[in-house]
Amino acid sequence: MNYYKYDYKNLSFTECFTATQNLNGIVLLFCKLFRISIPLRGIIKYPKPVGHYVIEENQLPSLANESINQCRRELIESGFVSPRYFLVTDPVAVFTLSGCVMRHESGNAGAITIVASFNSTQPPTIRSYTAVLSLTTDNRILETTNQGLYFRSPPQIESLYIRGTTIEHLWIVHKKRLAEPHSQYLPVSNNDDVMKMYDRMEQASFDMCVERGIYKQLTEEELAAEKERLGIVYAEPAIEETMLESPYTEKVPIARPVVELVAEEDEADDTQDPQLLHEIDKILNHTSGAGGKAMLFIVSAILFIGAGSVFWSWQITLSLVPILLIHELGHYTAMKLLRYRNLRMLFIPMMGAAVTGRNFNVAGWKKVIVSLAGPVPGIILAFPFGIAGIYLETEWMVKTAFITIIINGINLLPFYPLDGGHVLHTTLFCRLFFLDIVFRLTALAAFAIGAVYTGDFILWFLAFIMLTALPSSIWTNRIVKKLSRTDLPLEDSNNSTIPQKAVTTIAGEIRASTTRPLNVRHMANNTLNIYERLTAKLPGPGQTLGLLALYGASILLAFVGLVVFASYQQP
């Protein structure tokens, strides 16, 4: 089965506009940012050699005949000879591809004119263009074309796009490129060579779109549904796999047995990494008893109080413990209700406290709720506590409420890894690789600048943590970006395990992307972290706006609390 569908979420920013060449690019960009799949009718098929579809001129469709004849006349005026025609149709992909190939009398170039009719729209959408092609001795294809840029070209195709220009100008520009001294070119002796160059270029471009995840193969169910919609009852004929023997088509198969190859790889993958699978199973199924969790909490609290008493004072440290405890209990309760696993709460000396847990396939809005469940309850509880202190004229109550709002308000600041940073990262900045890195760099700069001006140890420590974690974040993002374009199985029925094929695929990508030796424990943790990123479900547009509104309201509430209780502080 060689039919594919579009997935516009994997387009680059530029391609969102070049793929549509109109204001619909704004729609694609919006869908890309919010990971919205567009239910398009467009279906494409893996390209077969056009030499299989040669026809006579009088067999060209009427819609294409006039355009092709006009381009043929202009090509003849530029020295191209011996036109040959072809016609490719497909009832499932619902398109008609008409074309004319010609070689140049100089023997160093060929030209192809394409008229594509997409019948999924009424009236049919017609697109036409001409491309001049040459092949270098180091197997690169030189293309000069008057079509617009849609998707970026593969590295072995050097394309120059001059949208809307005349064929005469195309040939002038192409001759200048041929005259450049850095490359030599193979002769183009007949139209077969031109067709084979075009086939190679189309297959390379198609393969790159598959690799990038722009084209995704239809499942048997999706193809059957599309055929039923179109009223097609025939079976897809088997395709014989052969290899073209020509420098113009070197290493390019006519058709590839995609399903069989994937099946063979799956069987091989399932037998790999038994130690890694065992280590992941240990991590996922390791559960500390209540006694162990309580011991971790108590020991970490003692260390926190001890360190705080040395660097601050025991009075300040003891006053921070209940504030931090309420904050982390909010996170813990939310994570428990949302079915996070392996939850642990602990204090971090000189830094604060934290709750750890793990879950897969977590909806983005749930992550935001977990982030806000720490600071927001603390701010809300501070209001009645502080107001009671004002009414009772009890200074320590008002001061405690004020400090509670300050601590929780700081956690709402939009810098990673604070709670507010997690909110913005989950709703906005995790959607694109470069936005994630910019967000982390911004947090690093903010902490560093704050540390320079205040000399605060905690800010210096946060800046150091962000700096040391940055290379790992870039490395992880690259792996996640690459694997997100594949058909990796991600979901499990209970959202608590990781599919075996996902383990071996992620581990293989980790090994291929680093030269550092990783022990089994580190490999298992990295695999699970990447899998969590891949299974993260980003909030939709409505959810994002609602969550950002809730975040903004939380900041406003903290600001009001600071204004109210600041006026009651004794100098």
Side-chain angles (χ1 to χ4, degrees), residues 128-394:
S128 62
Y129 68 91
T130 297
V132 183
L133 309 173
S134 296
L135 181 66
T136 67
T137 53
D138 56 356
N139 290 318
R140 290 176 294 108
I141 294 178
L142 198 70
E143 178 194 24
T144 310
T145 178
N146 58 9
Q147 73 167 324
L149 170 67
Y150 291 94
F151 308 135
R152 66 171 180 255
S153 300
Q156 65 269 39
I157 313 295
E158 295 185 9
S159 298
L160 176 61
Y161 299 93
I162 313 175
R163 183 179 173 85
T165 192
T166 63
I167 290 176
E168 179 184 9
H169 184 241
L170 272 186
W171 176 237
I172 292 173
V173 173
H174 194 80
K175 283 194 298 183
K176 291 181 180 179
R177 299 179 73 190
L178 292 174
E180 294 175 359
H182 65 278
S183 295
Q184 296 181 339
Y185 298 89
L186 295 173
V188 180
S189 56
N190 52 55
N191 283 331
D192 287 338
D193 291 341
V194 183
M195 287 184 172
K196 291 170 184 176
M197 271 195 292
Y198 174 75
D199 293 336
R200 180 177 172 183
M201 185 172 65
E202 285 296 292
Q203 290 181 20
S205 300
F206 197 99
D207 287 342
M208 191 177 79
C209 286
V210 172
E211 182 181 349
R212 294 179 57 202
I214 297 173
Y215 298 160
K216 291 193 173 179
Q217 192 170 23
L218 290 177
T219 63
E220 292 183 3
E221 292 77 12
E222 290 172 329
L223 180 58
E226 188 65 18
K227 288 182 178 180
E228 182 179 357
R229 184 182 72 83
L230 296 170
I232 300 172
V233 295
Y234 73 91
E236 178 70 9
I239 300 174
E240 180 183 359
E241 183 188 16
T242 60
M243 187 70 70
L244 299 176
E245 297 180 356
S246 165
Y248 294 86
T249 54
E250 183 176 344
K251 298 181 181 179
V252 179
I254 291 179
R256 303 175 303 166
V258 178
V259 177
E260 289 78 7
L261 284 176
V262 172
E264 291 172 5
E265 291 174 358
D266 290 350
E267 293 174 4
D269 285 345
D270 288 345
T271 62
Q272 294 177 3
D273 296 319
Q275 291 182 327
L276 177 60
L277 293 170
H278 177 69
E279 189 66 31
I280 288 176
D281 185 67
K282 283 173 55 180
I283 294 173
L284 292 178
N285 296 303
H286 173 73
T287 55
S288 300
K293 293 180 180 179
M295 182 61 66
L296 174 66
F297 176 78
I298 293 171
V299 171
S300 64
I302 293 173
L303 292 175
F304 176 83
I305 295 171
S309 300
V310 172
F311 286 93
W312 303 319
S313 69
W314 67 267
Q315 295 94 335
I316 293 177
T317 306
L318 287 178
S319 67
L320 290 176
V321 169
I323 296 174
L324 295 175
L325 184 59
I326 292 173
H327 180 101
E328 297 306 328
L329 279 174
H331 288 312
Y332 186 94
T333 303
M335 294 170 78
K336 192 74 173 177
L337 292 174
L338 295 174
R339 299 183 179 180
Y340 279 68
R341 303 170 70 239
N342 299 337
L343 296 182
R344 297 177 183 178
M345 186 188 301
L346 67 155
F347 282 86
I348 304 173
M350 303 301 299
M351 294 297 299
V355 177
T356 63
R358 190 182 295 278
N359 201 358
F360 301 136
N361 302 305
V362 183
W365 67 267
K366 293 182 179 180
K367 289 187 174 183
V368 174
I369 294 301
V370 168
S371 297
L372 293 178
V376 173
I379 293 171
I380 293 174
L381 290 175
F383 272 89
F385 193 81
I387 292 172
I390 294 173
Y391 180 77
L392 297 173
E393 297 183 353
T394 306

Side-chain angles (χ1 to χ4, degrees), residues 348-352 416-417 443-444 447-448 450-452 455-469:
I348 304 173
M350 303 301 299
M351 294 297 299
Y416 204 77
L444 169 60
F447 292 137
V452 169
D456 185 78
F457 164 78
I458 294 178
L459 291 179
W460 276 120
F461 184 76
L462 288 172
F464 175 76
I465 291 296
M466 292 299 296
L467 180 62
T468 55

Side-chain angles (χ1 to χ4, degrees), residues 430-446:
C430 70
R431 299 178 185 274
L432 293 174
F433 171 77
F434 85 93
L435 287 180
D436 177 89
I437 300 305
V438 168
F439 187 56
R440 293 175 187 273
L441 287 172
T442 302
L444 169 60

Side-chain angles (χ1 to χ4, degrees), residues 52-64:
H52 292 178
Y53 304 97
V54 173
I55 61 171
E56 299 296 330
E57 180 182 359
N58 58 12
Q59 295 177 289
L60 287 171
S62 57
L63 284 174

